[in-house]
Amino acid sequence: MIIKTDKDTTKKYFEDSSGMLGAYADKVYIPENKQDVINILEQANKIKTPVTVAAGCTGVTGGCLAYGGVVLSTEKLDNIGPIKEISQDKALITVGAGAIVNKIKEFVLQNGWMYAPDPTEKNATIGGNISTDASGGRGFKYGTTRNYVNAIEIILPDGSYAKIVRGKTFADDNGIIEFETSKGLKTIILPKYKLPKIKNAAAYYNYKNADLIDVFIGHEGTLGIIISAELILIKPFETLFGGIIFFEDREKSWTFVKEIRELSNINKDSKTEITALSLEYFDKNALNLIKPYYPIIPNNVDAGILFEQDCSHDTYDILMEKWVNIIEKYGINIDDVWFASNIKQQEEFRIFRHKIPETVNEIVHKNKIPKVGTDVAVPHDKLKEMILFCEQKFNENKLLNLTFGHIGESHLHANIIASSQQEYNKCKELYLEIAKKAVELGGTVTAEHGIGKVKHHFLKAMLGAEGIEELRKFKLSLDKNNILGRDNIFQCRI
């Protein structure tokens, strides 16, 4: 085990992408095996020392930042094991929690398989992805990380070890789950609050008859330390194509997405029908922001939709024709669509998508005022109402804004950019209003980034004081001394 105390060598563990300042810890522990993790937690639990899990430090909500106690970094638990083929279409691989997602994806692809989740931050660790249930642009087809986690090894706050396998242990109708650990049987009772049945990254998973493994996915480092995971692999697609469609009427873009979403659901098992891999949205403000870099964007644009379709070489022409037909049905001149006809060209779309937040960050850096970026999602039939509500609020307050994101999942990111401290305060007030509106519409305050240390007030708006108390009781049932991930998700006090 490696222990770091020097400020110069520990500095990197106190910074992430949240903008939070002042993080610190007495020590950084870097365990090299399971027993190291057990020893650290047993000692910390005995003397009630806070432990914050870190590794990639790529998050945006401060979840990996310590404010006292010690840091436990999983960076050395980075093994990538052999691939175990289960069937023609499915394989498994065991990886350490500190393994970098991009390295996992590259390794399995070189061996004829694919790890489907495609989070934006490829340098994140798999443990971090599991702890936040990361998703990304292709979540429309593949869903979130949890869909591809078959088993985990986890060390609980008292140092007990458990291997949890999907499909083995479930909550009963009263939310009670019993499971074996190295220190005996544990019994937990899931919280009673209601979570929306849409893409959601807020609070502990508590759906009826929940699989135990899902309770530990998305827990943001507060219930245990995941040391390894067995991931589900699928066969990779042969090729893909995609396009960015520019609409003069944004409402037509919303109708287009609705139709593609419905077709993709109906055709989900088909090889020759439309099944979108991703559906991404860019509003007029987002497109105009980067138009100087991309003259292909028309002057009269009101919205843009980026789509991807995976396929085989044999079905490429069939599927391309079907996409062209449906695009033309919406009055779009196919010559005005920016197409990418292969995987290499698709990389240009990734650069295009990233150019929007990069340009926003340049403005933010110049203004020296942080941006405010939403992460709400709503049921599909409420998306239009959510967009119009946000637009009304932005216009009333005359704030620079732009919206983009995962429209296939009715999950958009509105960026509100302030030029003064007064405007910044107003932006934060508006975000809370937007979060409350999302909840009112049956949605969530965070669909992929999680709560961390910066969104406690949003979660309270979603769950209420009673829901927060349910969170507290549940955490303490597994972490009676409140040592793990202190103040992640909510402020927990004994």
Side-chain angles (χ1 to χ4, degrees):
M1 177 164 52
I2 301 168
I3 301 174
K4 295 183 177 182
T5 57
D6 180 73
K7 289 184 178 180
D8 289 334
T9 59
T10 60
K11 180 181 177 182
K12 69 176 184 178
Y13 300 97
F14 305 130
E15 299 173 350
D16 69 354
S17 298
S18 68
M20 292 186 70
L21 303 174
Y24 68 97
D26 297 327
K27 296 176 182 177
V28 175
Y29 289 106
I30 306 176
E32 297 178 275
N33 52 55
K34 177 176 79 173
Q35 191 59 49
D36 283 349
V37 179
I38 291 172
N39 293 344
I40 293 165
L41 287 186
E42 284 183 337
Q43 179 63 17
N45 195 51
K46 181 178 179 180
I47 61 177
K48 301 181 181 181
T49 298
V51 178
T52 301
V53 187
C57 295
T58 58
V60 298
T61 63
C64 69
L65 300 182
Y67 289 85
V70 300
V71 170
L72 188 156
S73 173
T74 60
E75 63 196 86
K76 291 293 185 181
L77 305 176
D78 61 350
N79 60 293
I80 298 177
I83 295 171
K84 179 182 177 183
E85 187 170 328
I86 303 300
S87 68
Q88 183 178 353
D89 300 315
K90 179 181 176 181
L92 299 173
I93 186 170
T94 299
V95 299
I100 302 298
V101 173
N102 205 37
K103 290 184 178 180
I104 296 171
K105 292 175 75 70
E106 288 175 353
F107 174 78
V108 300
L109 192 59
Q110 288 167 2
N111 288 276
W113 294 93
M114 180 171 75
Y115 176 61
D118 193 43
T120 302
E121 180 50 72
K122 301 300 189 295
N123 290 318
T125 64
I126 191 64
N129 273 198
I130 295 170
S131 294
T132 57
D133 192 23
S135 52
R138 292 176 179 170
F140 175 70
K141 182 166 187 174
Y142 294 132
T144 66
T145 295
R146 90 168 59 249
N147 297 341
Y148 299 89
V149 181
N150 191 60
I152 58 171
E153 291 186 291
I154 190 167
I155 311 300
L156 300 173
D158 63 355
S160 56
Y161 162 85
K163 182 173 183 179
I164 301 168
V165 180
R166 185 169 295 283
K168 298 291 186 183
T169 309
F170 298 91
D172 67 15
D173 289 344
N174 296 311
I176 300 171
I177 309 179
E178 291 186 341
F179 64 102
E180 289 289 344
T181 78
S182 61
K183 294 187 177 183
L185 190 70
K186 287 194 182 294
T187 302
I188 57 176
I189 305 174
L190 297 181
K192 305 296 184 187
Y193 48 70
K194 301 283 187 185
L195 293 176
K197 294 182 179 180
I198 61 170
K199 182 181 181 183
N200 173 57
Y204 300 132
Y205 190 99
N206 73 336
Y207 296 100
K208 186 175 176 63
N209 302 127
D211 192 317
L212 178 61
I213 197 170
D214 286 322
V215 177
F216 289 103
I217 295 173
H219 74 285
E220 299 194 44
T222 61
L223 301 178
I225 295 179
I226 295 168
I227 58 172
S228 79
E230 185 177 63
L231 306 176
I232 298 169
L233 308 178
I234 62 174
K235 278 295 181 181
F237 48 79
E238 289 181 22
T239 189
L240 82 164
F241 62 84
I244 300 178
I245 310 165
F246 300 107
F247 290 83
E248 295 181 12
D249 179 352
R250 62 184 178 163
E251 296 219 17
K252 279 190 177 182
S253 79
W254 304 340
T255 306
F256 172 82
V257 166
K258 181 175 184 292
E259 182 171 358
I260 296 297
R261 185 192 297 124
E262 291 172 353
L263 283 173
S264 297
N265 186 52
I266 293 168
N267 302 328
K268 60 184 177 182
D269 296 321
S270 174
K271 304 297 184 184
T272 58
E273 300 291 339
I274 287 175
T275 53
L277 183 60
S278 64
L279 287 168
E280 299 287 294
Y281 178 74
F282 312 100
D283 77 353
K284 176 171 62 177
N285 293 345
L287 293 172
N288 285 337
L289 181 71
I290 60 171
K291 192 177 186 326
Y293 306 98
Y294 292 95
I296 193 173
I297 299 172
N299 292 325
N300 57 349
V301 68
D302 199 33
I305 298 295
L306 184 155
F307 73 89
E308 293 177 303
Q309 170 75 57
D310 56 311
C311 57
S312 68
H313 296 298
D314 292 339
T315 60
Y316 185 101
D317 290 338
I318 297 170
L319 286 164
M320 176 65 84
E321 183 179 358
K322 290 184 177 182
W323 275 98
V324 168
N325 289 340
I326 200 168
I327 291 168
E328 289 182 333
K329 189 177 84 171
Y330 283 82
I332 302 294
N333 185 334
I334 207 68
D335 293 333
D336 295 332
V337 178
W338 178 12
F339 276 106
S341 59
N342 55 50
I343 292 172
K344 184 176 180 180
Q345 289 178 358
Q346 206 76 4
E347 177 66 13
E348 295 178 22
F349 284 175
R350 188 192 69 81
I351 296 169
F352 176 90
R353 283 182 296 201
H354 286 188
K355 191 63 179 177
I356 295 171
E358 284 175 8
T359 307
V360 168
N361 289 338
E362 288 171 10
I363 297 171
V364 167
H365 181 74
K366 181 180 178 181
N367 291 346
K368 294 183 170 55
I369 303 288
K371 75 173 181 182
V372 172
T374 71
D375 187 35
V376 302
V378 294
H380 296 319
D381 63 345
K382 301 297 183 182
L383 180 62
K384 177 179 177 179
E385 186 175 349
M386 186 77 250
I387 293 174
L388 294 178
F389 175 84
C390 293
E391 183 181 83
Q392 177 188 345
K393 292 296 179 181
F394 299 151
N395 290 340
E396 286 175 357
N397 291 277
K398 296 180 174 59
L399 291 168
L400 179 61
N401 67 90
L402 55 94
T403 298
F404 59 95
H406 319 304
I407 195 169
E409 299 156 279
S410 295
H411 169 209
L412 298 180
H413 302 295
N415 280 206
I416 324 170
I417 305 167
S419 59
S420 67
Q421 186 62 45
Q422 183 179 5
E423 280 192 353
Y424 178 61
N425 293 337
K426 175 55 67 176
C427 290
K428 291 193 292 184
E429 291 173 9
L430 277 183
Y431 191 175
L432 183 56
E433 288 187 52
I434 290 168
K436 288 179 177 179
K437 182 66 175 179
V439 172
E440 177 190 318
L441 295 176
T444 177
V445 300
T446 179
E448 66 178 345
H449 294 157
I451 297 296
K453 294 180 174 71
V454 300
K455 297 182 181 179
H456 294 167
H457 53 310
F458 298 142
L459 188 62
K460 187 172 183 180
M462 181 173 169
L463 299 183
E466 291 182 2
I468 300 301
E469 178 60 16
E470 289 277 348
L471 283 168
R472 189 186 75 87
K473 288 179 179 178
F474 182 68
K475 174 176 167 54
L476 294 179
S477 72
L478 279 169
D479 184 11
K480 67 178 182 179
N481 291 321
N482 188 31
I483 64 167
L484 267 187
R486 191 173 288 182
D487 290 342
N488 281 357
I489 306 180
F490 62 104
Q491 289 186 318
C492 181
R493 296 293 178 264
I494 297 176

